[in-house]
Amino acid sequence: MIGLAIYLGVVALLVAGAIRRPAFALGAFLCMFGLEQWGASKNSFIASHGSFTNYLALAIVMIALGVRLFKRGNLRLINGPTHIVVILLYMYAAATLLWTPAYYIAMEEWKAQVPYLLFSVILLPLLIQNTEDAMEGLLGTVIAGAILTAALAFLVDWGYRQIESEVSGGEDIRLPLAIAQLGAIVFVIAVLYFRWRGAAALVALGLVTISVILVIKTGSRGQLISMVVAAMLFFPISRGWSLSRGALIGMVAAALAVAAIWTFLPDLANLLSTQEGRFDAERAVEDYESRVAAANRLLDVYLSSGMLVLLFGLGNSASFAPQVAGFYTHIVPVEILCELGVVGFLLFMAALGLTIRSLIRLASIRSSLQISSQTQRAVACLSALALIELLLSLKQGSLVRDVNLFLFPILLEGLLASVAAQRLKGMTAEPVRRSATRGAQRNLAIGS
């Protein structure tokens, strides 16, 4: 009963939040797969209707969009060049289905993922248009995510990288990466979103602890490493620090603390879970080498297939073909290069380069523009989440399956566009203020 109560409570929270603050619905999308796993382990109806939770989350996003259009109306459809390049990348990937050697498998992949890709690339950016929207979206994510993270960490029975179902005897739910992804998101937002003063610091510390426990229980090494790296890298930005001596000393101290914890990680993992050496360094290297081997097979086929293939690629999902690799390679940049060719890879690199350029431009105007602490924390959170997705793309997922890969760069671009617009508005308003001041001074002089 408690399982269904938590499920319905999270859904009700997200619906109410989305109606009041539409950007809150970002939490419905980012917590969707974690909510699905929780419901499937606790309720027979949800377990037997695998897509129910996913479409419920998408419905919440649609409700939020309807409310946003009613309240605000005029929305920015395209956030900028990064957004355009990502759309072109997926359009080109779809076009390569015309010559992929794994056409039927590719169509199944696209049929399953297209709804999520549309929401990620087209619809969710309509909800996050400025700093206020970003903060509300992150708030919705951390509230819903905190409930689910605690529930999945302490209220389910974990086996080896799987949840033991309470409604289907002898069946287990084995999707640890989706749950670990939720834990990583909550960890980053807890570190970068909260102010870490007073009661907020206690809440943040509790969320950090719970999310680390959950990720360890899933045995997901990539999520654990990427979330710690991303949080450490963007923590100074979230606080508006410059690269002063004190900031550098603090970063070094944090790095040493993480290194000390990492030393005892295998013992901690054995204490918290039964992952059979998942966090052993030698085993991690062996597991990754198997993925590199699969990527090398794909790369060999690509490089030996002629000039046209080098330019335009083997075709999306070609790695599934038995004569290529037989399955997707788990290393997304290699997949993009081989399946979409130089054309697709240049689009991919352009999206990354444009995102980095936007962050560099933000850093360059910080001294001339008074950026609020909220903007700094929102930029840090979205940047860290984008980095996590990029790091994870080096060991899991595919271009079509990884629906969050470009979500955060697109949202970040929209946020930075609003900051730039405010700066431009301030620059144009300044001469008007100066002119008005001089006019008032002249009138004062005449009156005296």
Side-chain angles (χ1 to χ4, degrees):
M1 191 65 183
I2 188 173
L4 183 60
I6 291 176
Y7 182 93
L8 295 177
V10 171
V11 171
L13 172 71
L14 290 169
V15 170
I19 292 174
R20 184 176 179 182
R21 301 177 177 182
F24 203 87
L26 177 65
F29 189 83
L30 296 182
C31 297
M32 171 173 57
F33 296 112
L35 181 62
E36 176 191 6
Q37 303 312 306
W38 169 260
S41 69
K42 298 290 183 177
N43 183 269
S44 57
F45 173 81
I46 299 171
S48 59
H49 296 78
S51 299
F52 175 78
T53 303
N54 302 339
Y55 287 112
L56 182 61
L58 299 183
I60 294 173
V61 174
M62 292 301 297
I63 292 172
L65 281 172
V67 174
R68 168 56 57 83
L69 288 171
F70 178 77
K71 287 183 176 181
R72 187 178 297 182
N74 189 22
L75 296 177
R76 183 179 60 243
L77 299 179
I78 299 295
N79 284 343
T82 303
H83 201 171
I84 294 174
V85 168
V86 171
I87 293 173
L88 290 175
L89 175 61
Y90 279 107
M91 290 177 64
Y92 179 69
T96 66
L97 296 177
L98 294 174
W99 62 81
T100 180
Y103 176 78
Y104 294 105
I105 296 177
M107 291 304 296
E108 291 178 1
E109 290 283 302
W110 279 80
K111 187 181 298 183
Q113 300 301 325
V114 159
Y116 309 116
L117 287 173
L118 288 176
F119 273 78
S120 178
V121 175
I122 303 298
L123 298 181
L124 279 173
L126 298 177
L127 290 178
I128 311 298
Q129 301 262 304
N130 51 43
T131 296
E132 182 181 358
D133 291 340
M135 293 298 282
E136 290 176 357
L138 293 168
L139 179 63
T141 302
V142 77
I143 292 176
I147 297 171
L148 290 171
T149 299
L152 289 165
F154 303 118
L155 300 181
V156 297
D157 294 324
W158 279 91
Y160 178 70
R161 309 203 71 201
Q162 60 193 16
I163 298 174
E164 297 179 7
S165 175
E166 295 183 7
V167 296
S168 302
E171 293 186 11
D172 296 315
I173 300 170
R174 201 178 192 284
L175 286 171
L177 297 181
I179 297 176
Q181 200 89 338
L182 174 64
I185 290 172
V186 172
F187 178 90
V188 163
I189 298 177
V191 172
L192 303 179
Y193 181 92
F194 290 92
R195 293 182 181 274
W196 284 84
R197 292 199 298 264
L202 295 177
V203 173
L205 183 60
L207 291 179
V208 165
T209 303
I210 293 171
S211 57
V212 168
I213 290 173
L214 178 62
V215 174
I216 289 176
K217 284 191 171 185
T218 66
S220 301
R221 298 165 301 214
Q223 277 76 1
L224 186 61
I225 294 172
S226 61
M227 74 188 196
V228 172
V229 170
M232 287 183 59
L233 183 60
F234 288 98
F235 186 78
I237 295 177
S238 72
R239 298 304 180 264
W241 294 350
S242 61
L243 289 178
S244 62
R245 180 182 300 178
L248 290 173
I249 292 174
M251 293 173 65
V252 170
L256 292 175
V258 170
I261 294 173
W262 213 266
T263 302
F264 298 100
L265 181 59
D267 294 332
L268 180 62
N270 291 333
L271 178 65
L272 294 174
S273 62
T274 56
Q275 298 305 332
E276 299 179 8
R278 282 286 299 176
F279 294 95
D280 179 75
E282 292 183 3
R283 177 170 178 176
V285 171
E286 291 176 359
D287 289 345
Y288 194 70
E289 285 177 348
S290 65
R291 298 183 180 185
V292 171
N296 284 336
R297 289 197 297 272
L298 175 61
L299 194 59
D300 289 341
V301 173
Y302 167 69
L303 293 175
S304 61
S305 298
M307 186 57 66
L308 284 178
V309 171
L310 289 176
L311 185 60
F312 299 110
L314 295 164
N316 183 257
S317 300
S319 56
F320 282 96
Q323 67 271 29
V324 181
F327 200 56
Y328 67 97
T329 63
H330 292 79
I331 303 179
V332 178
V334 174
E335 175 208 300
I336 292 174
L337 173 63
C338 298
E339 294 184 353
L340 306 186
V342 173
V343 174
F345 193 72
L346 288 177
L347 289 171
F348 172 67
M349 294 303 296
L352 297 182
L354 289 168
T355 302
I356 295 172
R357 187 188 68 171
S358 297
L359 287 172
I360 293 174
R361 285 184 173 179
L362 177 69
S364 67
I365 66 173
R366 279 180 58 190
S367 58
S368 60
L369 179 66
Q370 190 66 28
I371 298 177
S372 68
S373 63
Q374 284 192 338
T375 299
Q376 291 170 352
R377 287 183 284 144
V379 168
C381 284
L382 293 177
S383 300
L385 292 172
L387 178 59
I388 287 176
E389 293 295 334
L390 179 61
L391 293 175
L392 292 178
S393 73
L394 302 177
K395 51 83 62 178
Q396 70 181 54
S398 68
L399 177 64
V400 178
R401 292 187 179 191
D402 193 354
V403 296
N404 290 341
L405 180 58
F406 299 107
L407 170 62
F408 300 114
I410 292 172
L411 298 184
L412 180 63
E413 182 177 53
L415 173 58
L416 296 178
S418 71
V419 172
Q422 291 175 0
R423 181 186 181 226
L424 181 62
K425 183 178 179 181
M427 292 173 62
T428 55
E430 185 63 26
V432 175
R433 287 196 295 268
R434 291 179 179 176
S435 176
T437 300
R438 287 194 295 267
Q441 290 173 344
R442 286 195 298 270
N443 291 337
L444 182 61
I446 294 173
S448 61

